Amino acid sequence: MPPSGGGELWIKRCKDCGQHHYYPRVVCPNCFSRNVEWVKSSGKGSLYTYNINVRTAPGWENNPNYIIALVTLEEGPRIMSNLVNIPFDQDPVKMAQHIQVGMPVEVTFEELSEEISVPRFKPAGS
Amino acid sequence: MPWDMRDLRRQVAIIGAAESDQLGIVPDKSAVQLHVEAAWNAMEDAGVKKDEIDAVFNAGNTLGMAEYMGITPKLTDSTAVGGSSFVIHLGHAVAAIASGYVEMALVTHGESGRSRVGAGGFGGGGDQWYGWQGSAGPPASYSMACMRHMAQYGTTHDDLAEIAVATRKWAQLNPRALMRDPMSFEDYHNSRWISYPFHLLDCCLVTDGGGAYIVTSLERARNYKKKPIAVLGFGESHTHGNIAQMPDLTWTAARNSGPRAMQMAGVDHKDLDVVNLYDSFTYTVGVTLESLGFCGPGEFGQFVKGQRTAPGGDFPLNTNGGGLSYTHTGMYGMFATLEIVRQLRGECGDRQVKDAKIGLVNGTGGSLSSTGTAIMTNQV
């Protein structure tokens, strides 16, 4: 388990080849070494791509037009998350005007329960 | 046939064999971890490097396990028929290796049968890391890929519309197609958003249906009723399980499977008379055209422009009306394959491609994860 919970994003790094990966594994997906360690991510990255979900997944009815995002972390790995802090509009085309593929983003945590908080991403500095 | 089964005797051997670090009661490791430990230990046992593995076998989910281990196989086999699966995998591996299709197979198993940690029908290696993002299934995965292509190459909704409209025109020629009403470009652009940038008409149908085909030696095939359609070449590959692990969302494993199929078949793009590309979404067609090398990266919009793939165009594509307008049960690859057979038999009536001699089918599975390419001919 990573050494810390709340408010920090931890990923894995291979001590042999130096490459980071996410999701965390017991082997390095690059060189297959089992010599992998937990390291704290800066939580900064860039928006690799996104979508705007007008048709919502079950349980997401109260989050109209939620955005799923793939973020490339500074350390290299890509993480699937949500993009938040984007002004809502019924029309996804208007929301998309606030979003640029490649723009800098940073992690922000949402507590789902006392035990679980999840990393979402917002435009850097917002 | 190139060989008799008896020729397989003493041709193929097991070179590594190992179990997970612990057996018995292991409450702190998941089924996936037990799988990968065993794989790592077997490779250590044999002195095999990961990159030498070109075939992956397990009873259920080779996409997830290969993704976890970072393997892009040339042969994937997730035959799951119960506890006997791993013995059956060995036979499949022997046939594949003896024929020269692949060189080194990894067969794995892992289960948390007692402690039930991530047990039972494990999904992708990373399944616990997904779900809280609100994914709405395939449309959400594929729309993210499409968005990346749009941002990277300037691909537009007009480009996607060309595919949706052309495919509907083929469906209009097919009496068995579900969606046969005319579709205009305006209809496409006015259809509601599902997962932006996808409109409804970027998405395939959801239908019921079944399909099957039978394969035998060409020698035996001549004893039966229909004209044999011979397989010239095939290839397969996968690069990931979940879309979040896809190396690059603007190309698929068809970059691997396509060239292998064409090389085996000894045919080039210009030799193909009819092409069926799995169309779960309009984007799936576009990215596959590029990945198979019909056009360069970012060029599919230009390639399909002017209804080039519609009936009467010079590139007959998805001639049954595709998953977009014909039928899509959730696993459309069977139907794409059957349509190539029908075209090569000359059974397609109004939508028959004249003098079709060589056809290509490319299936795409998972979240743009896996591809299979096959090339067939009626010239036997």
Side-chain angles (χ1 to χ4, degrees):
Chain A
M1 295 296 288
S4 166
E8 295 174 347
L9 182 63
W10 286 73
I11 61 177
K12 279 214 164 164
R13 180 182 167 277
C14 176
K15 289 191 200 174
D16 287 335
C17 74
Q19 194 163 307
H20 293 80
H21 68 264
Y22 179 91
Y23 50 89
R25 292 153 161 99
V26 297
V27 295
C28 170
N30 179 48
C31 73
F32 218 53
S33 163
R34 288 181 72 169
N35 199 12
V36 291
E37 62 176 349
W38 287 100
V39 294
K40 189 179 160 188
S41 163
S42 72
K44 293 184 181 10
S46 64
L47 182 67
Y48 178 74
T49 190
Y50 73 99
N51 61 25
I52 303 174
N53 294 277
V54 179
R55 196 192 71 154
T56 53
W60 283 70
E61 296 79 3
N62 296 328
N63 296 277
N65 291 7
Y66 65 89
I67 302 165
I68 303 176
L70 292 182
V71 170
T72 307
L73 296 172
E74 257 179 3
E75 294 86 359
R78 209 179 291 145
I79 179 170
M80 184 155 77
S81 179
N82 299 100
L83 184 64
V84 296
N85 281 14
I86 300 297
F88 170 79
D89 197 288
Q90 289 286 354
D91 182 357
V93 178
K94 290 196 178 133
M95 290 178 71
Q97 287 164 2
H98 299 278
I99 309 168
Q100 288 292 324
V101 166
M103 73 187 199
V105 293
E106 62 192 26
V107 74
T108 175
F109 283 86
E110 183 188 348
E111 261 186 39
L112 296 184
S113 70
E114 269 188 30
E115 285 187 339
I116 297 175
S117 63
V118 295
R120 308 210 198 271
F121 286 79
K122 59 182 185 176
S126 73
Chain B
M1 298 295 283
W3 33 257
D4 186 293
M5 281 302 282
R6 285 169 293 192
D7 297 337
L8 301 189
R9 289 174 188 162
R10 294 189 200 85
Q11 297 293 314
V12 176
I14 294 175
I15 58 167
E19 293 166 344
S20 54
D21 294 357
Q22 298 100 25
L23 297 174
I25 302 174
V26 191
D28 60 334
K29 285 178 181 168
S30 68
V32 169
Q33 286 176 303
L34 296 168
H35 249 275
V36 175
E37 270 186 13
W40 195 92
N41 290 339
M43 284 190 229
E44 187 76 357
D45 181 51
V48 162
K49 295 266 178 288
K50 185 186 67 153
D51 293 345
E52 296 177 72
I53 304 288
D54 59 0
V56 291
F57 291 71
N58 68 41
N61 186 337
T62 46
L63 282 184
M65 293 314 304
E67 172 194 287
Y68 191 113
M69 296 188 281
I71 293 173
T72 299
K74 280 166 88 173
L75 182 160
T76 186
D77 187 335
S78 50
T79 300
V81 291
S84 58
S85 301
F86 316 98
V87 184
I88 289 170
H89 293 155
L90 179 59
H92 296 185
V94 168
I97 291 167
S99 70
Y101 186 31
V102 291
E103 291 180 15
M104 185 89 72
L106 171 68
V107 183
T108 61
H109 168 68
E111 182 58 291
S112 181
R114 165 122 177 188
S115 302
R116 311 303 296 170
V117 185
F122 66 90
D127 270 7
Q128 75 185 95
W129 307 98
Y130 308 117
W132 50 267
Q133 299 93 340
S135 171
S141 295
Y142 284 68
S143 64
M144 278 197 287
C146 187
M147 173 60 76
R148 179 68 199 185
H149 200 278
M150 289 171 141
Q152 193 165 318
Y153 294 116
T155 301
T156 66
H157 280 101
D158 289 330
D159 299 332
L160 302 173
E162 290 280 356
I163 294 167
V165 170
T167 308
R168 179 60 60 88
K169 288 178 186 166
W170 284 110
Q172 289 183 282
L173 300 178
N174 185 352
R176 280 171 67 84
L178 184 67
M179 303 298 277
R180 304 188 67 204
D181 293 338
M183 183 199 297
S184 66
F185 282 83
E186 207 179 8
D187 292 335
Y188 168 86
H189 290 294
N190 289 338
S191 69
R192 69 177 192 270
W193 296 111
I194 298 296
S195 180
Y196 177 86
F198 279 166
H199 287 279
L200 176 68
L201 292 178
D202 286 303
C203 304
C204 68
L205 309 173
V206 180
T207 66
D208 304 316
Y213 59 81
I214 295 170
V215 183
T216 189
S217 69
L218 190 56
E219 193 182 338
R220 280 196 70 179
R222 296 182 201 286
N223 301 332
Y224 297 88
K225 288 197 307 199
K226 290 286 182 85
K227 182 182 179 61
I229 303 301
V231 177
L232 288 177
F234 53 86
E236 69 195 73
S237 185
H238 49 74
T239 49
H240 62 285
N242 190 288
I243 195 80
Q245 298 286 320
M246 188 167 179
D248 182 329
L249 271 63
T250 65
W251 56 266
T252 75
R255 268 197 190 175
N256 302 328
S257 62
R260 280 179 206 144
M262 288 199 204
Q263 195 174 14
M264 176 178 166
V267 304
D268 202 351
H269 297 87
K270 62 178 179 346
D271 302 318
L272 300 166
D273 300 307
V274 57
V275 172
N276 267 17
L277 307 180
Y278 197 110
D279 57 343
S280 42
F281 301 93
T282 49
Y283 176 69
T284 319
V285 177
V287 72
T288 305
L289 283 168
E290 294 177 9
S291 299
L292 288 174
F294 287 104
C295 55
E299 292 175 357
F300 85 75
Q302 205 55 36
F303 186 86
V304 301
K305 210 178 170 75
Q307 291 294 283
R308 183 178 175 199
T309 66
D314 73 353
F315 192 87
L317 177 67
N318 296 350
T319 57
N320 55 357
L324 293 173
S325 287
Y326 173 59
T327 203
H328 196 304
T329 55
M331 293 181 138
Y332 170 73
M334 172 58 76
F335 301 96
T337 306
L338 298 178
E339 176 69 1
I340 290 295
V341 173
R342 287 190 296 252
Q343 283 287 355
L344 295 175
R345 283 176 173 176
E347 295 176 343
C348 286
D350 292 342
R351 66 180 195 281
Q352 181 63 46
V353 175
K354 255 187 111 177
D355 302 322
K357 294 183 179 68
I358 302 179
L360 177 146
V361 58
N362 187 88
T364 304
S367 299
L368 290 164
S369 312
S370 66
T371 63
T373 313
I375 299 168
M376 293 175 257
T377 185
N378 54 17
Q379 304 294 296
V380 294

